[in-house]
Amino acid sequence: MKLGTSGEQPVDSDPTVGTLGEDPLVAGVIGRYPSAPWLTVGPGDDAAVLDLSGRFPGPLIACTDTIVEGQDFRRDWSTARDIGIKIAAQNFADVAAMGGRPHTLLVSLTTPADVPAAWANELADGLAAECSRAGAVVAGGDVSAGSEIVIVGTALGTLVTPRAVLRSGASVGDVVAVTGGSGRSAAGWALLRAGQGTAADPVLAALLSEHRAPVPPYPAGVEAALAGASAMIDTSDGLVRDALRIATSSQVVLDLSPSALLPSADLLHAASELGLTPADAQEWVLTGGEDHALLACFPPDARIPAQFSVIGEVRAASEAGVWLGGEPFTGEGGWRHWA
C-alpha cells in the first residue's frame, strides 16, 4: 500500500478487481475497446444500441461460448491477452462457420476478488485486438464475483447469403474441404503439458501461440458461403468429431482421405521433440481440438475457395458417420467436455 497524492487515503499500488471495485474496473476496461459507426450506444450504459440498417444487410447471426479456468485455459500457460483473443476467436469462428461476418461481441467476466485488475485490463486488450482483426467491436457485457474465472462471449454477425450454411446440408457427391491448421493447437497443448511452454525453437513457439491465441480464417466462411457450400462447421472439438456432426445432421458419410491429412513438417518436428511418433502427429490432425479451422462440403461443380483444401467426399451409407480411406473411423474422434 502507498499514500495517495493527498496523503489521506491509502491506495493499492497493484489493485485487484476486488479492491478496485466494479465501476472503476469497468471504466478502465471499456476504455480499451474500439468503437464503430454502427455502435451508437456502447459499453457503459444499461444496454448497447446497434444501428445495423444499411451497414450489414442480411439476417442476424447470434452465438455464445463459455471458457472456464482450469477447463479451457490456465493462467500459468496463457496471458490474459491470449485468453481475450481466445474467447473472441471461438465466438467469431462460429459466425464464420454459418457463412457470416462477425461485427459485435458481448463479454461477461466472473472472477475471484484477488485477480489483479491489470489482468482484466490485459484481457480487454486481447478482446480488442481480435475484434479489430475480425472487423468487430465489443458492445458491452457484465462482471461478477465467483470462485473461478469464467468468461462468456456472445457474438453477433450477419449473413452474406439469404440462408445460413448449416451442418445439415451435405449431399452425396459433395466434396469435403478444410482450411489449414488442423492439429496445430493440439501440438501446442502437448508442448505445454510437457513443460515446453517457453520453447525458443520458432516452430514450437508458433504452435504454442496458435494454441494460446487461435487465428480462425473468418473471411473463408464468407467465401465458402458465396461459393455455394452446402454444409460447414468450425473444428473446435477436432476434425473427426466435427465432421461427424455434419455427417449426423446430413445423414451421410464423410469419407476423408488419409493422404490429404498427413501431418505437416512442423507437427512432425514437435512430435519428435516430445519423443512421440508420426502416428501421434497424425492423431493431432484428426482429433485435436481448438484449431477453429472451417470444415465445409461443396457441390462437386463448385469452385473451392483458395483457403480450402479438398480432403474427402460425401458418400451414401446405411449409417451416418466418418470414414477414413473408405473404412469407418473407430478412434475417439476429438474433445469431450465431460470425458
Side-chain angles (χ1 to χ4, degrees), residues 119-278:
W119 187 93
N121 290 335
E122 190 181 348
L123 176 77
D125 290 339
L127 291 166
E130 192 62 15
C131 281
S132 294
R133 193 178 78 84
V137 294
V138 176
D142 189 29
V143 294
S144 184
S147 60
E148 59 190 351
I149 297 177
V150 179
I151 309 168
V152 180
T154 299
L156 304 177
T158 50
L159 295 177
V160 299
T161 53
R163 295 185 178 181
V165 184
L166 307 181
R167 301 175 182 183
S168 56
S171 298
V172 174
D174 284 355
V175 297
V176 182
V178 70
T179 58
S182 294
R184 295 180 65 82
S185 179
W189 186 53
L191 289 164
L192 286 167
R193 286 187 299 157
Q196 296 200 34
T198 58
D201 182 322
V203 173
L204 303 185
L207 296 174
L208 288 163
S209 177
E210 290 190 39
H211 173 74
R212 289 167 167 148
V215 189
Y218 306 128
V222 170
E223 293 167 5
L226 294 173
S230 57
M232 189 156 52
I233 193 171
D234 95 291
T235 59
S236 56
D237 290 333
L239 180 63
V240 170
R241 184 171 300 286
D242 287 314
L244 180 60
R245 289 174 171 141
I246 289 180
T248 302
S249 296
S250 300
Q251 285 301 291
V252 294
V253 161
L254 269 61
D255 189 2
L256 309 181
S257 168
S259 63
L261 293 169
L262 296 175
S264 58
D266 50 0
L267 296 187
L268 292 172
H269 175 63
S272 177
E273 288 294 305
L274 292 171
L276 302 175
T277 68

Side-chain angles (χ1 to χ4, degrees), residues 33-40 42-43 136-138:
Y33 296 143
S35 190
W38 66 87
L39 186 62
T40 59
V137 294
V138 176

Side-chain angles (χ1 to χ4, degrees), residues 75 77 115 164 215 229 245:
R75 278 186 280 164
W77 282 2
V115 169
V215 189
R245 289 174 171 141

